[in-house]
Amino acid sequence: MENTKIQDYIESNQQQWDEEYKSNVWDYLSDITEYARYSVVYGYIRKFIAEEGILDMGCGTGILYDMLLDSEKEGYAGV
């Protein structure tokens, strides 16, 4: 019974995310006003990148991926 509640919660969140993306709620993330935030994250990647690669949790439309060098993209996984 408890698993059903968790599954329903996950499904409702997925529907909410889908609706938000379809209605362009998250488009502001690709605006120049957000560039500073991505630059800070990219700075940490350049400083601490490991051979194992980069795991980007909550990657959205992949804006950070577009900032990476080709060699860094090889080890990138966005979720």
Side-chain angles (χ1 to χ4, degrees), residues 18-32:
D18 289 345
E19 290 172 13
E20 289 175 358
Y21 271 101
K22 288 177 186 174
S23 65
N24 302 321
V25 169
W26 298 101
D27 283 357
Y28 75 94
L29 291 173
S30 60
D31 189 73
I32 192 67

Side-chain angles (χ1 to χ4, degrees), residues 61-77:
T61 59
I63 297 168
L64 181 62
Y65 177 82
D66 292 337
M67 296 179 77
L68 300 175
L69 301 173
D70 288 339
S71 61
E72 296 164 335
K73 289 179 179 181
E74 293 174 11
Y76 176 91

Side-chain angles (χ1 to χ4, degrees), residues 38-50 54 64 67-73:
Y38 288 106
S39 295
V40 169
V41 173
Y42 183 70
Y44 280 110
I45 289 170
R46 298 289 299 143
K47 174 85 174 156
F48 299 109
I49 192 166
I54 301 164
L64 181 62
M67 296 179 77
L68 300 175
L69 301 173
D70 288 339
S71 61
E72 296 164 335
K73 289 179 179 181

